[in-house]
Amino acid sequence: MPPKTLEGVSEKELDAWKAEFDVCDTLRVLGHEVLPLGVYDDLAPIRNALSEFQPHITFMLLEEFHGVVTYDFAVISYLELMQQPYTGCNPRGLLLSKDKALSKKILTYHRIQTPRFAVFPLGRIVHRPKKLAFPLFVKSVTEDASYGISQASIVHNDQQLAERVAFVHDKAKDDAIAEQYIEGREIYVGVIGNQRLQTFPPWEMDFGKMPADVARIATSQVKWNRKYQEKHGITTHEATDLQGELADRISKICKRVYRALNMSGYARMDLRLTERGEIYVLEANANPNIEYGEDFAESAEKGGVDYDSLLQRILNLGLRYKADWMIS
């Protein structure tokens, strides 16, 4: 739950609710009446707010319910059952995109290039398919925000694979996925829209002065540890050299992924671009971080959409989304 002002707030305190504050503060500046609502494991506060506050739309910033990251789709489903408009992705798109294994199967069906992979269910013995060659990148099937990802996530033999899968099983209490590690540039592309889609300029993770023998992957240290970022000069910025035909290919692939996974509202696509110009889709992230100054908002601004306009567009898309209850 964000405060109404930043007066007396330290930078460390700010991290916990920066996105929520930026959204609420900007919406108020735009003239909207906003009721922030903190939810953990009970739907009653949502039901009461819908009845008493009677919002025109709910701005979805919830990342988990009862500590489970995959339950965000269930909360959105509840809003649909309550015939309540909301921002961001619909339940089906959330469900499909959150499951890394399922989404990769769908992308493979649509002939969208994604790394080869295998899933190792919780509690099962690890048997690597012969077609899956090392090095491999091991992570949770459903967790996001680089949870449990470190340099040890890149494995080079069967013993390391078994150890890392066991680590994921223990830490995330979830199935593990091992995918072909693609050497290349880490590219992020914002997509916004329901039927008519727009992509924002490609953004790149710059790994700075990290040692040459370290894998260029977005570990939790790389993503969230500011001291680590400053030490190694890790930044994100516009990939200014991705222009012309390559930029068009990237945009088209991201839109194809968005549609294949039945997404709506807005999303961020995580890609790998090899030296040969091959584009691999790593993940599709519904409802990505939209705090001011972060990648999605910065990319939107480069694409001609400032922060105020971005949030208003997200609201408009939510109001225009045709949920099943509206059609029936």
Side-chain angles (χ1 to χ4, degrees):
M1 291 286 288
K4 283 203 171 183
T5 74
L6 296 181
E7 189 175 345
V9 174
S10 69
E11 192 169 303
K12 187 176 181 181
E13 292 173 309
L14 185 66
D15 286 342
W17 38 257
K18 175 69 162 53
E20 290 84 349
F21 176 84
D22 289 344
V23 169
C24 291
D25 187 60
T26 303
L27 292 178
R28 291 190 184 104
V29 169
L30 288 170
H32 300 292
E33 189 177 353
V34 182
L35 173 67
L37 189 66
V39 177
Y40 175 61
D41 62 356
D42 185 6
L43 292 173
I46 299 177
R47 183 176 65 249
N48 294 337
L50 295 180
S51 174
E52 297 167 12
F53 188 62
Q54 297 185 351
H56 295 101
I57 187 167
T58 299
F59 205 110
M60 178 63 172
L61 290 173
L62 195 69
E63 295 184 354
E64 58 185 41
F65 187 81
H66 211 323
V68 181
V69 296
T70 52
Y71 282 178
D72 54 356
F73 93 92
V75 176
I76 288 295
S77 297
Y78 176 72
L79 291 177
E80 288 210 357
L81 293 176
M82 297 295 286
Q83 299 189 349
Q84 171 64 31
Y86 53 83
T87 66
C89 194
N90 66 81
R92 185 180 299 170
L94 280 170
L95 184 65
L96 295 179
S97 61
K98 205 84 167 194
D99 187 323
K100 297 180 181 68
L102 182 56
S103 63
K104 285 177 181 293
K105 290 174 184 177
I106 294 171
L107 297 186
T108 301
Y109 173 82
H110 286 279
R111 298 183 181 179
I112 297 171
Q113 191 161 242
T114 188
R116 286 187 174 184
F117 71 96
V119 176
F120 301 101
L122 186 63
R124 300 268 189 91
I125 297 174
V126 176
H127 292 295
R128 176 178 58 89
K130 291 183 179 180
K131 67 177 182 179
L132 205 59
F134 294 106
L136 298 173
F137 189 176
V138 184
K139 52 190 174 182
S140 160
V141 165
T142 57
E143 291 286 351
D144 55 11
S146 294
Y147 182 80
I149 294 178
S150 68
Q151 286 296 318
S153 299
I154 306 296
V155 299
H156 300 272
N157 55 57
D158 285 311
Q159 182 179 342
Q160 290 180 354
L161 173 62
E163 290 172 354
R164 198 62 193 178
V165 168
F167 171 84
V168 171
H169 287 171
D170 180 64
K171 185 176 179 67
K173 303 296 187 289
D174 186 21
D175 296 346
I177 185 170
E179 65 181 27
Q180 174 191 6
Y181 173 61
I182 306 298
E183 191 71 54
R185 298 167 64 180
E186 181 101 352
I187 304 295
Y188 308 128
V189 180
V191 185
I192 190 167
N194 293 334
Q195 283 80 40
R196 296 179 61 185
L197 306 182
Q198 176 185 359
T199 56
F200 296 135
W203 226 244
E204 181 170 9
M205 171 72 77
D206 187 334
F207 293 94
K209 300 172 290 185
M210 287 179 66
D213 60 343
V214 170
R216 266 53 177 169
I217 58 173
T219 65
S220 56
Q221 286 272 70
V222 166
K223 270 196 174 181
W224 307 114
N225 189 323
R226 291 185 181 177
K227 289 184 179 179
Y228 187 86
Q229 293 168 354
E230 292 170 3
K231 177 182 177 182
H232 295 287
I234 298 168
T235 59
T236 58
H237 54 76
E238 183 183 5
T240 54
D241 61 328
L242 301 184
Q243 305 292 336
E245 186 271 338
L246 180 56
D248 289 342
R249 275 204 296 138
I250 290 173
S251 177
K252 287 177 182 176
I253 287 172
C254 291
K255 289 177 181 178
R256 286 181 63 201
V257 172
Y258 197 91
R259 292 191 172 104
L261 298 179
N262 198 60
M263 304 178 86
S264 60
Y266 61 103
R268 188 194 73 237
M269 303 300 166
D270 296 358
L271 314 173
R272 276 273 158 151
L273 178 63
T274 70
E275 287 186 354
R276 296 170 57 185
E278 298 170 305
I279 301 165
Y280 286 84
V281 178
L282 302 183
E283 293 179 15
N285 299 279
N287 301 350
N289 184 3
I290 53 167
E291 71 181 67
Y292 182 76
E294 280 297 314
D295 297 345
F296 191 88
E298 289 281 280
S299 177
E301 189 157 358
K302 281 289 184 181
V305 183
D306 63 27
Y307 194 66
D308 290 13
S309 301
L310 176 64
L311 295 195
Q312 186 60 56
R313 184 180 293 190
I314 288 171
L315 282 178
N316 295 344
L317 287 168
L319 290 167
R320 291 172 189 156
Y321 176 72
K322 297 300 181 185
D324 290 344
W325 65 266
M326 295 180 181
I327 299 169
S328 61

